[in-house]
Amino acid sequence: MSLTAPPAPAPRITYGAVLGSPYVARLLGGTLTGRLPNGMAPVAILLWATATGGSIAFGGLLSALYGLSSALSQPVKGRLMDRHGQTAVHLPAALLNSALLVALPVVGPQGSRALATAVVVAAGLTTPPLEAGLRALWPSVLPNPRLRHAALALDTGTQGLLYIVGPLLVAALASAYSPSLALAVTAALGLLGTATVASAPPSRRWRPAQPTSTDGGPGRRLTSPGLVLLFVSLTGIGFAIGSMNVWSIAMAKHHDQDMLSGILPAAFSTGSFLGGLVYGRGTWTGTTTGRLIIAGVAFLAGWLPLLALLGPYAATFAVIVPGAFLTVVVACAYVTTDTLTPAARTSEAYAWLILSIGAGQAAGTALAGRLAEQPLASAALPAAGAAFALTILLAARPRQPPLAAGPTPPPVPGPAQDPLNPLTFRPI
């Protein structure tokens, strides 16, 4: 009989413990507030354009240009953060972005379209890179990997709230007052949230890790084959999201229920939020790569019921499923990106991840717009994007066999080591 007591089980991670850790609530709350303009600005710009005599087509163009310019500039701002720190990038960007959004109504109905377009593009280019910045802060703020895992899932899951609360807030302000006020509030929230993050000690003190001898060789390159394949796969995830938004509008028109255009994306975002809560609190076995592929399979399967051309109520419940697994895909993608990225270029890598999803979303929106009059094709596009993503992920899976259930073996040191699991993400 052994007198040795069995090892105590690891304490269960709670979101209270995560949010109670120093600076976590401030950084997460500030980032969400500072990123509200991502959900508010495109709607406010569209409403301002139409309210000042512009066409819906012109307003839609301005809205799309804001989002596209914001996404395209992410890697540049990420590279600047890796070189000069977060505060030096966040605060100037937020000041310029807010000033440009407030200046847009000054262009007025008499202003030229070229000037309005230039202001909107410049505003998009200067959006502060808060999302990439927050992901880079988690390792220093939460050294405990389990707490960091929960924080990343909570961070990823709550992003959907931006696209529920933001448009609703803009619609309320524009209806009660004016689109110009909605733009001003958008600018104020962006500046407030960014200042909250940039003034926090972890952000002010943050500097990228210095390259070490283990970062030599191919690991120093940001364009490693595994990382490129991961980013390519994420364009499929973005494609599914972008086409889903247009499919929602087509559903609303087909069933003559305008609210569906907002309810369906809201249900998808709600699924993402709930999925993040569940995933963040769980203790999962296996590898990050394995979870990424399993989540990709579930994300694809969640879209397949739409091919049956569901009615409004069934479709609303159906989109919750892929939404729930979106958070798992994105959270695992961030961990994998961190694994494959040189220590001194993490912010830039996160920015490329964000750009990959954004570029796919733009492509999905554009193609879905052309096929909106064809119900089956419109409903099939999200599944097509998810299938593309899964195909690339499977092609990039590691050669090693999956881990059996049980304790994780000790990791093998190396530049591409997953901090939570011993398998790497590399091309076949």
Side-chain angles (χ1 to χ4, degrees):
M1 181 174 64
S2 173
L3 299 179
T4 304
R12 185 174 180 82
I13 295 296
T14 66
Y15 286 115
V18 174
L19 295 174
S21 301
Y23 303 111
V24 169
R26 175 175 177 175
L27 291 171
L28 184 58
T31 298
L32 289 174
T33 303
R35 293 184 60 228
L36 263 178
N38 291 3
M40 295 176 67
V43 180
I45 290 169
L46 174 59
L47 293 177
W48 169 81
T50 55
T52 54
S55 65
I56 294 179
F58 178 62
L61 174 63
L62 291 181
S63 180
L65 285 174
Y66 181 88
L68 183 61
S69 58
S70 175
L72 290 175
S73 63
Q74 288 290 328
V76 174
K77 289 176 286 194
R79 187 71 177 271
L80 290 173
M81 281 198 297
D82 283 336
R83 289 185 173 183
H84 305 291
Q86 294 195 358
T87 302
V89 177
H90 282 337
L91 288 180
L95 287 169
L96 285 170
N97 176 262
S98 297
L100 289 164
L101 289 176
V102 171
L104 186 59
V106 178
V107 174
Q110 305 304 320
S112 69
R113 290 191 170 193
L115 180 57
T117 302
V119 171
V120 167
V121 169
L125 291 173
T126 54
T127 53
L130 291 171
E131 184 177 358
L134 181 62
R135 304 291 162 77
L137 286 176
W138 286 137
S140 60
V141 175
L142 293 170
N144 184 323
R146 296 181 67 216
L147 286 174
R148 189 162 64 248
H149 163 82
L152 181 59
L154 182 63
D155 168 18
T156 304
T158 52
Q159 288 187 46
L161 299 178
L162 301 175
Y163 301 98
I164 299 174
V165 176
L168 289 175
L169 182 57
V170 167
L173 289 170
S175 176
Y177 300 98
S178 69
S180 296
L181 180 64
L183 280 169
V185 172
T186 300
L189 288 173
L191 188 58
L192 173 64
T194 304
T196 300
V197 173
S199 61
S203 181
R204 287 190 287 107
R205 294 194 298 256
W206 181 86
R207 293 296 183 275
Q210 295 301 311
T212 65
S213 58
T214 58
D215 288 330
R220 187 176 297 277
R221 293 184 292 111
L222 194 59
T223 55
S224 64
L227 199 60
V228 170
L229 286 172
L230 176 64
F231 292 163
V232 170
S233 73
L234 291 175
T235 62
I237 301 296
F239 185 95
I241 298 170
S243 56
M244 183 270 298
N245 289 330
V246 178
W247 165 79
S248 300
I249 297 173
M251 282 280 290
K253 291 183 177 180
H254 179 73
H255 294 280
D256 197 23
Q257 298 181 27
D258 292 342
M259 288 298 294
L260 276 178
S261 61
I263 290 174
L264 290 169
F268 179 80
S269 297
T270 300
S272 177
F273 176 65
L274 296 176
L277 292 180
V278 173
Y279 179 68
R281 291 195 64 183
T283 301
W284 309 100
T285 60
T287 67
T288 300
T289 302
R291 291 198 297 273
L292 180 60
I293 292 175
I294 291 171
V297 171
F299 184 71
L300 168 59
W303 292 117
L304 296 180
L306 302 189
L307 299 177
L309 302 180
L310 303 175
Y313 294 107
T316 300
F317 284 103
V319 297
I320 294 176
V321 176
F325 287 98
L326 171 68
T327 298
V328 184
V329 170
V330 175
C332 291
Y334 269 105
V335 174
T336 305
T337 299
D338 185 64
T339 299
L340 297 176
T341 302
R345 300 184 69 179
T346 53
S347 297
E348 183 184 357
Y350 296 152
W352 277 107
L353 187 156
I354 297 166
L355 173 57
S356 299
I357 297 176
Q361 192 168 348
T365 300
L367 183 57
R370 291 183 172 273
L371 300 177
E373 300 300 324
Q374 303 177 35
L376 182 58
S378 180
L381 284 178
F388 173 82
L390 179 60
T391 300
I392 301 299
L393 288 175
L394 290 173
R397 71 188 187 278
R399 293 180 181 178
Q400 294 95 328
L403 289 177
T408 300
V412 179
Q417 187 64 49
D418 185 324
L420 301 181
N421 300 282
L423 295 188
T424 59
F425 184 91
R426 61 186 64 166
I428 293 176

